[in-house]
Amino acid sequence: MFEPTNHFNIVADDERADAAEKVTGRAKFTADHHIDNIAYGLFVTSTIAKGTITNLDSSKALQAPGVLDVIYYKNCPNIPGYNALTPDNKRNNFEWKGLKVLNDNIVRFFGQPIALVVADSFENALAAVKLVKAEYATEAFDTNFNEARLVESKTKLAGKYKRGNPKAYLNAPFFIEAEYNTPIEVHNPMEMHSSIAIWEGDDKLTLYDKSQGPKGTQSTIARTFGIPEKNVRVITEFVGGAFGNALRSWLHVPAACIAAKKLNRPVKVLLTRPQMFSLVGYRPQSWQKIGIGADKTGKLLGISHEAISNTSRYEDFREGITDASRFLYKCENVDTEYKLLPLDLSTPTWMRGPGETTGCFALESALDELSYQLKMDPIDLRIVNYTETHQENKLPWSANNVKDCYAAGKEKIGWKNRPKKPGSLKEKGWLVGYGMGGGIFGANKGSATVKAILKEDGSLVLQSAVSDMGPGTTTAMGIIAAESLQMPTSRIKFMLGDSSLPPGPTQGGSGTTSTLGSAVNLICETLKQVIKELGIQHFAAFKGLQITDLEVKNELLIDKKNQGSQISIVELLKLAGKPSIEITKESNGNNPQEIKYAFCSFSVHFVKILVHPKTGEMKLQKVITTGDAGKIISENTARSQMLGGVVGGIGMAFKEGLEINHATGEIANASFGEYLVPRHTDIPETEIWFVNKPDPFINSIGAKGIGEIAMIGFAAAVANAVYNATGKRVRDLPITPEKLGFSKA
Ligand code: MOS
């Protein structure tokens, strides 16, 4: 038996800024907030997949202890954003995008909220939910992706692309053609979604909400309720994990606002764990077909990539499943086609590496399959097809050090031991396989505003209305500021999670460090200028000096020319008669380099797997994940981010998959007991390695994103290793012993 070991090194001076608050329980997540006189709202959900509610009986629930109201389509107040038209038929500016919860009697998926029970305690609300009885007129429904996708008329085209000759792979001397399937995967972070709505009068609202973007939520809710944005304050100080599920406001958010307004008291709406499986989005199910061909040197002659993913009936959710096939590898002939399949399910959403995670499972598996046909090392195959330019927009990469990733990973995983013939290597009775897979994700820089407050005691507070869903944004921002100002991170506090702070971006698309970090760098550089000007103005010894003569370091202002002449910033503030310095600045999203370069982050994952030849039990023995994401700001949190992606990737490879009972439309495994996720013992020795070279063109700090590349390509690395160990190719996730041909019994 091989026992997994963990080597999670923590860099001491790079500690998470919020670690103590989180591990001691001082950190307050949304539902932790207690407000005087608060009431609790819980959803009653539909027990059919499609139809109309013919009668909803709330009388028993209303008589139950502590119940204050049961809100449903017959008594739900009118919400401005639910109606896109004013009474005189003009389009108004109010809008709620998404299902209009509690608004009508139509059921669109099993588990849809149909009423909100509001009670004086969580327990009373929970008890009363069971007392609400609905009668339905049911309709035929469709939740079966695998069957429905075969019916052309049920799908709709969502994107098509072509360069060179379509289906060129068919004419290549070596080609493979294969279909890949991935199931619905759900986010399910530790912290479940909740919202607390507190109205002050008719048009002023404070909302505690689990959100990846307080500013985005503020805008959504203002437009939904027809009130000025400035009258909505959204607070999200701590987020207990999110992988895209808090990028938009889901149904419980307006529900909390509706209930609080109707009852004229604060209302907290919580989702239960089972509700987390259908009410906050998910990675859609996919079917993909890849055709890929090469000449005998491995040079790619054609890539064709088709994909279908599901959406709901009431919204189109699309993602870039076929995108990476268009630009990751050098190839003149590429065609892709992407279709959506609306089903009677809730709407999917972005989930870690949205699009590419699904697409690269297929693409990176297909390349591996091709490598065996060519009798070529799969890493060499990728190197042959390395491209200096983004193959779709033809721009040169701002930076692409993926070859360094290949080299480092190859060495660290022990690639030289990889058997050329699948199923030919054994260690202590277990079959051994090595596999690798790559990932790519676009990098960008958006706009953000940061306020700096240099306090009387010389410490620094930075503020921006972003949220930190877990990657460690406060830590990374502290490090950027500390580097710029040459002061210890312990003297810097980054405040976020409140829409009343200066506007910051939504945390998503691996863009926060680039966008917000640029703004932090800008404000700190500006602050240094202000300090230097103040020194020249007020400190006699600096009279007549130029800005460039001075340097800010260790909370001192120093004359670089005449070593020794210096003043502490605290003294300087006193001298200048200022209790503090406060400045606010916007770093805009413009990057003139954008028209010259293509910006992407890259990852390459390497795994060594053991497969038991009698039982099919699979154990990852070692994982090496390498990343090229520009400069690494915080080694500690960047490492954690990649490790999180690896864990997600292990879940995707071996465990995860939503099961739907197609007879009823109900999710059959909506609990942690039934929806499998990796346990600690499933995570092997994992080494994270970064190229760590600044990207010269992306922004002022040289850092790109890592949140998505951490996971993209990982599941393919596992499938490729499984093939290398056993000679069995699994193209349907998750990979289980049954799919390797081992029976359950
Ligand atoms: Mo991420 S899927 O952009 O939260």
Side-chain angles (χ1 to χ4, degrees):
M1 279 287 168
F2 292 88
E3 282 312 312
T5 54
N6 292 305
H7 296 264
F8 300 172
N9 303 318
I10 300 297
V11 182
D13 58 356
D14 192 13
E15 232 167 61
R16 282 187 84 101
D18 53 1
E21 277 162 299
K22 281 186 171 168
V23 299
T24 56
R26 279 204 307 274
K28 278 195 173 174
F29 300 89
T30 295
D32 295 336
H33 289 276
H34 184 76
I35 314 291
D36 281 345
N37 194 36
I38 198 160
Y40 296 79
L42 285 172
F43 280 133
V44 179
T45 55
S46 71
T47 54
I48 64 161
K50 190 174 187 166
T52 48
I53 304 164
T54 51
N55 185 42
L56 191 138
D57 180 4
S58 59
S59 57
K60 281 215 176 72
L62 285 168
Q63 286 159 23
V67 172
L68 304 164
D69 202 352
V70 176
I71 305 173
Y72 67 114
Y73 61 90
K74 278 198 175 154
N75 63 15
C76 181
N78 186 36
I79 310 305
Y82 278 6
N83 307 304
L85 301 177
T86 58
D88 49 351
N89 259 350
K90 288 200 187 102
R91 246 197 104 70
N92 65 31
N93 294 321
F94 310 137
E95 192 178 16
W96 163 254
K97 287 183 184 147
L99 199 150
K100 294 165 184 170
V101 68
L102 312 175
N103 180 61
D104 59 31
N105 65 342
I106 300 166
V107 175
R108 296 158 184 88
F109 61 93
F110 198 109
Q112 177 195 306
I114 54 170
L116 185 79
V117 171
V118 190
D120 60 357
S121 73
F122 173 76
E123 291 74 13
N124 282 339
L126 192 62
V129 160
K130 297 186 186 80
L131 303 174
V132 177
K133 297 288 172 222
E135 289 163 38
Y136 305 95
T138 59
E139 289 168 36
F141 63 89
D142 210 348
T143 54
N144 193 330
F145 180 93
N146 290 334
E147 281 176 13
R149 75 160 177 85
L150 300 171
V151 185
E152 177 80 33
S153 61
K154 290 188 178 179
T155 62
K156 51 184 177 186
L157 190 65
K160 228 174 152 68
Y161 172 85
K162 177 174 86 80
R163 71 168 177 263
N165 302 320
K167 308 275 176 232
Y169 72 93
L170 288 168
N171 299 319
F174 299 88
F175 74 84
I176 69 111
E177 194 185 75
E179 295 181 25
Y180 302 86
N181 291 281
T182 63
I184 287 177
E185 291 157 6
V186 292
H187 303 87
N188 263 307
M190 290 301 285
E191 184 204 9
M192 297 180 283
H193 284 244
S194 63
S195 291
I196 302 172
I198 308 154
W199 287 92
E200 255 174 75
D202 237 11
D203 68 348
K204 223 168 158 237
L205 175 71
T206 300
L207 187 71
Y208 292 86
D209 184 46
K210 172 167 182 157
S211 167
Q212 286 173 236
K215 289 301 288 182
T217 302
Q218 177 191 38
S219 157
T220 298
I221 295 307
R223 279 182 295 120
T224 303
F225 288 88
I227 55 178
E229 228 170 77
K230 64 173 173 33
N231 288 9
V232 179
R233 182 178 174 198
V234 177
I235 300 169
T236 316
E237 207 188 341
F238 286 96
V239 177
F243 311 99
N245 49 327
L247 282 168
R248 68 180 284 192
S249 298
W250 298 100
L251 309 182
H252 60 281
V253 187
C257 302
I258 289 168
K261 197 160 199 186
K262 185 161 190 260
L263 273 76
N264 196 25
R265 69 191 267 185
V267 172
K268 180 188 293 191
V269 174
L270 307 104
L271 296 188
T272 63
R273 183 58 75 183
Q275 289 171 351
M276 287 289 291
F277 286 76
S278 53
L279 297 185
V280 293
Y282 54 86
R283 192 191 301 285
Q285 184 167 353
S286 80
W287 165 89
Q288 302 177 72
K289 183 176 171 186
I290 295 228
I292 189 163
D295 68 16
K296 66 175 192 297
T297 67
K299 184 179 175 245
L300 293 178
L301 299 176
I303 304 174
S304 298
H305 190 167
E306 287 172 67
I308 304 174
S309 68
N310 82 277
T311 185
S312 67
R313 293 269 184 217
Y314 53 93
E315 281 174 303
D316 280 354
F317 173 77
R318 65 187 72 194
E319 54 182 14
I321 296 179
T322 57
D323 290 9
S325 296
R326 306 205 287 248
F327 54 72
L328 180 52
Y329 298 107
K330 195 171 177 115
C331 186
E332 277 167 24
N333 305 302
V334 176
D335 56 295
T336 69
E337 185 181 85
Y338 177 40
K339 289 179 188 165
L340 290 183
L341 174 63
L343 293 173
D344 296 299
L345 296 171
S346 62
T347 307
T349 198
W350 304 280
M351 181 166 158
R352 204 163 199 171
E356 274 83 351
T357 294
T358 302
C360 281
F361 165 63
L363 177 66
E364 293 294 289
S365 293
L367 269 169
D368 196 69
E369 299 193 41
L370 184 64
S371 77
Y372 285 95
Q373 259 211 28
L374 290 160
K375 298 194 170 44
M376 196 172 172
D377 184 295
I379 299 175
D380 295 341
L381 176 59
R382 285 164 174 85
I383 291 171
V384 165
N385 293 292
Y386 172 84
T387 171
E388 300 284 344
T389 56
H390 184 287
Q391 287 283 288
E392 189 175 356
N393 65 25
K394 304 294 182 196
L395 294 172
W397 304 112
S398 57
N400 179 344
N401 302 292
V402 73
K403 285 182 190 165
D404 293 351
C405 293
Y406 295 142
K410 197 171 167 171
E411 176 67 32
K412 287 171 184 295
I413 199 76
W415 194 256
K416 62 178 188 301
N417 300 320
R418 172 181 176 270
K420 288 209 168 56
K421 187 171 178 292
S424 63
L425 181 65
K426 274 193 182 177
E427 277 176 22
K428 296 182 184 170
W430 291 67
L431 290 161
V432 181
Y434 293 78
M436 54 82 63
I440 185 170
F441 201 77
N444 61 56
K445 186 196 78 167
S447 60
T449 304
V450 174
K451 180 176 184 178
I453 306 163
L454 183 70
K455 302 210 300 196
E456 202 170 6
D457 65 357
S459 69
L460 178 69
V461 174
L462 297 169
Q463 300 178 327
S464 187
V466 295
S467 78
D468 179 358
M469 62 172 149
T473 300
T474 50
T475 310
M477 295 308 123
I479 290 171
I480 290 168
E483 255 183 52
S484 167
L485 292 162
Q486 292 292 299
M487 67 192 280
T489 50
S490 59
R491 301 273 289 150
I492 301 166
K493 184 175 168 58
F494 196 94
M495 287 173 66
L496 45 64
D498 187 335
S499 65
S500 61
L501 298 172
T506 291
Q507 184 159 69
S510 299
T512 310
T513 302
S514 169
T515 295
L516 191 62
S518 301
V520 166
N521 187 56
L522 177 68
I523 198 80
C524 291
E525 292 298 312
T526 311
L527 181 61
K528 281 199 287 199
Q529 292 295 107
V530 172
I531 293 169
K532 288 173 187 176
E533 280 164 19
L534 218 55
I536 294 168
Q537 247 176 23
H538 295 276
F539 187 45
F542 289 171
K543 207 164 177 189
L545 290 183
Q546 303 294 312
I547 294 263
T548 48
D549 296 333
L550 296 172
E551 132 182 82
V552 174
K553 198 173 182 173
N554 299 329
E555 301 182 43
L556 300 167
L557 182 60
I558 304 166
D559 178 356
K560 284 192 285 186
K561 270 192 188 160
N562 311 300
Q563 286 299 330
S565 180
Q566 63 182 46
I567 181 170
S568 80
I569 288 167
V570 171
E571 284 302 315
L572 179 60
L573 286 177
K574 271 191 208 145
L575 202 61
K578 281 185 179 290
S580 67
I581 300 174
E582 297 193 10
I583 47 172
T584 304
K585 234 181 153 66
E586 185 192 356
S587 151
N588 67 40
N590 299 340
N591 180 359
Q593 304 294 343
E594 234 166 47
I595 50 168
K596 294 192 213 150
Y597 298 101
F599 301 112
C600 282
S601 289
F602 305 87
S603 60
V604 190
H605 312 280
F606 300 82
V607 307
K608 180 184 179 189
I609 199 167
L610 307 173
V611 183
H612 198 278
K614 290 218 168 65
T615 63
E617 183 183 355
M618 289 170 282
K619 276 173 177 285
L620 284 175
Q621 198 188 40
K622 196 173 182 181
V623 171
I624 310 289
T625 280
T626 64
D628 176 22
K631 180 179 169 179
I632 298 307
I633 301 295
S634 157
E635 274 184 42
N636 185 18
T637 58
R639 205 178 154 282
S640 292
Q641 197 47 359
M642 291 296 269
L643 198 54
V646 167
V647 174
I650 291 173
M652 181 179 183
F654 294 120
K655 308 258 175 178
E656 295 185 53
L658 201 73
E659 302 283 347
I660 296 162
N661 176 351
H662 298 304
T664 60
E666 185 177 11
I667 294 172
N669 59 347
S671 82
F672 277 155
E674 308 281 332
Y675 182 93
L676 305 184
V677 293
R679 304 151 304 167
H680 192 72
T681 52
D682 294 315
I683 314 305
E685 178 185 334
T686 299
E687 189 179 338
I688 310 297
W689 183 87
F690 290 110
V691 172
N692 198 7
K693 282 186 195 155
D695 184 311
F697 303 116
I698 178 95
N699 53 36
S700 58
I701 56 170
K704 292 186 284 199
I706 52 181
E708 327 289 336
I709 55 157
M711 183 159 177
I712 299 167
F714 190 87
V718 173
N720 298 343
V722 168
Y723 179 78
N724 188 243
T726 63
K728 284 172 189 148
R729 178 63 65 177
V730 181
R731 302 185 185 93
D732 300 329
L733 293 180
I735 304 166
T736 59
E738 292 79 19
K739 288 182 191 165
L740 290 176
F742 296 90
S743 69
K744 244 177 193 152

